[in-house]
Amino acid sequence: MKIKKILKSPYFYFIMLLPLGLLLLAAARFIPGFADGYYNIIYRNLGGIFGSITGIFPFSLMEAGICFLVFLVIYWLIKLMLKSKEGKDSVLNYFFGVLMKMASVFCAVFFLFSVFSGTNYYRESFAEKTGLEVKKSSPAELYELCEHLL
C-alpha cells in the first residue's frame, strides 16, 4: 500500500529526474562522442525552441526563478512557524512536505541543467576542433588571433 502511495505522488516523478540527469551527464562524460552527438541532434533543436520561447521576456528567467525561490523559502519558514502553534505532529508533517517539495525543485532544476547545458561541458573544445595550440600568449598574439578568427 505504501508503494502505491509513493508512486502516485507527483514528487516521486520529479525526484526520478535526478537519476535521469545523472545518467545523461555520465553518458556525456564517459561515452566518446556522445556529448557532440547530443549537441548536434538534440541540444541545437531544444536550445533553439527554448531560446525562442524565453527570448520574449525582457528579463532573465533564471534570476526571476531565484527571486521566486527566495520568497518561497521565506513563505515556507513563516508557515512553519505558524504550524508550530498546532503541535509537533503538524510541524513535522509540514516540514517533511516542504523537504519533498525542495527536493523535487532541486531534481527538476538539475535535470534541466543536464538537458540544456550540462552535456556541453564534455564536448570537444574549440581549440581541438580548429587545431589551435593553447599556450601562454602575449596580448599582441591574442589580438592577432582575434583578427584571424574574425
Side-chain angles (χ1 to χ4, degrees):
M1 290 293 189
K2 187 118 177 151
I3 291 178
K4 281 185 179 181
K5 184 178 180 184
I6 291 171
L7 292 176
K8 287 183 179 181
S9 168
Y11 304 123
F12 171 77
Y13 296 102
F14 281 110
I15 290 172
M16 291 312 299
L17 291 174
L18 180 66
L20 290 175
L22 289 171
L23 186 65
L24 183 62
L25 290 181
R29 171 74 173 99
F30 296 111
I31 298 174
F34 180 87
D36 289 313
Y38 179 85
Y39 171 79
N40 289 321
I41 297 168
I42 298 173
Y43 178 77
R44 280 179 142 175
N45 295 320
L46 280 179
I49 293 167
F50 190 71
S52 296
I53 294 169
T54 60
I56 62 174
F57 297 103
F59 53 87
S60 166
L61 289 181
M62 182 57 96
E63 290 172 2
I66 290 170
C67 291
F68 176 74
L69 286 177
V70 168
F71 287 115
L72 193 59
V73 167
I74 292 169
Y75 168 78
W76 283 336
L77 288 173
I78 291 171
K79 196 162 179 185
L80 185 65
M81 287 187 277
L82 294 174
K83 287 278 183 187
S84 67
K85 295 178 183 177
E86 296 176 21
K88 184 179 177 182
D89 289 338
S90 180
V91 170
L92 288 176
N93 286 336
Y94 182 75
F95 179 73
F96 287 118
V98 167
L99 281 180
M100 288 298 289
K101 290 173 186 172
M102 291 174 77
S104 297
V105 168
F106 171 80
C107 293
V109 168
F110 179 78
F111 177 74
L112 291 173
F113 164 77
S114 301
V115 169
F116 285 108
S117 63
T119 55
N120 288 327
Y121 287 102
Y122 302 105
R123 287 182 46 218
E124 184 179 31
S125 72
F126 178 75
E128 293 168 336
K129 283 184 180 181
T130 58
L132 289 175
E133 181 185 348
V134 179
K135 61 179 183 170
K136 289 200 178 234
S137 304
S138 69
E141 289 174 310
L142 292 173
Y143 183 80
E144 186 179 318
L145 172 65
C146 289
E147 282 186 335
H148 173 73
L149 291 174
L150 285 172

